[in-house]
Amino acid sequence: MRAWFDEAVARMTQPNPNAMTLATIDPDGRPSARVVLCKELVEKDGYLVFYTNYRGRKGRALEANPRAAAVLHWDHFDRQVRVEGPVVRSPAAESDAYFHSRRWESRVGAWASDQSEPIASRAALLAKVQSTARELGVDLAAGVAGQPVEIERPPHWGGYRLWFDRVELWCGGVGRVHDRAAWTRALTPAGEGFRAGPWSATRLQP
């Protein structure tokens, strides 16, 4: 997985090689999927990191059902990775560090958006963003000029770690006789994450 991910990022044959479809289960049992960005892949421990609003639909889903599945598909390489497992919030310091690395406009947007909630119009949304910037004391002219803009991370926004208890690699084959293999392991809660058992590998039919 690491080699495929790094190659996709290095070759940039698609605009967002770290884009992945993330599937969760809402509190009422309905499945929901959307595309998010994988911001970090921690090979040693076996988890990936993504960021979002904790109060949005996916945040509420993960609060009720803290498991998810994700798919990274690189069409140019005819490769796909599927991962499944439990999800926990990233440590606050990690979320803080990533938040401060974002463009200032994105940081204002994280404060302004009540993610997944209805709003009357696009104009109303833009007005809300401008109002939020003023409330935060953001100098818009300074930001546009490329000067540093200090904005703290909102408490309702941050990272999640999706730990892998199942990983599947898929590689396209001639005549649709694809190559598929899956790896599974047991995860036991430990501190802010999990203690992992050994991986077990299985080849799968396409």
Side-chain angles (χ1 to χ4, degrees):
M1 178 177 178
R2 174 90 258 176
W4 286 9
F5 185 88
D6 288 348
E7 183 179 358
V9 171
R11 294 178 63 177
M12 286 295 292
T13 54
Q14 60 196 62
N16 294 294
N18 61 332
M20 63 183 189
T21 300
L22 179 76
T24 56
I25 300 295
D26 287 342
D28 63 2
R30 297 188 183 199
S32 178
R34 77 290 288 161
V35 175
V36 299
L37 298 179
C38 171
K39 287 298 184 178
E40 188 176 3
L41 178 60
V42 181
E43 182 182 21
K44 180 177 71 71
D45 295 320
Y47 65 82
L48 59 78
V49 180
F50 62 94
Y51 292 86
T52 191
N53 187 314
Y54 293 142
R55 299 174 182 168
R57 183 175 177 182
K58 73 177 80 68
R60 295 194 299 269
L62 291 170
E63 185 71 22
N65 300 297
R67 286 188 62 86
V71 181
L72 294 106
H73 181 76
W74 299 291
D75 203 39
H76 288 79
F77 302 136
D78 220 11
R79 293 172 180 168
Q80 177 175 278
V81 174
R82 298 170 60 188
V83 297
E84 301 171 13
V87 179
V88 295
R89 289 190 184 186
S90 299
E94 182 175 287
S95 292
D96 288 340
Y98 175 70
F99 186 78
H100 286 292
S101 75
R102 305 179 89 207
R103 290 178 57 88
W104 69 271
E105 299 97 329
S106 298
R107 284 179 277 152
V108 171
W111 276 100
S113 175
D114 294 317
Q115 191 179 79
S116 305
E117 295 303 311
I119 195 163
S121 65
R122 175 74 178 173
L125 175 61
L126 294 178
K128 191 165 183 271
V129 171
Q130 291 182 342
S131 173
T132 300
R134 288 193 296 271
E135 291 172 7
L136 292 170
V138 174
D139 184 340
L140 299 179
V144 171
Q147 298 174 19
V149 175
E150 294 300 322
I151 305 172
E152 294 301 311
R153 177 177 65 90
H156 59 265
W157 191 99
Y160 284 106
R161 293 177 174 181
L162 167 52
W163 284 75
F164 313 147
D165 59 18
R166 188 180 191 278
V167 175
E168 181 184 321
L169 302 185
W170 176 98
C171 187
V174 176
R176 304 198 65 79
V177 183
H178 310 307
D179 240 350
R180 288 179 66 191
W183 289 260
T184 58
R185 64 177 179 172
L187 294 174
T188 305
E192 294 184 325
F194 296 88
R195 183 172 62 253
W199 287 104
S200 176
T202 306
R203 180 166 287 276
L204 302 172
Q205 298 181 57

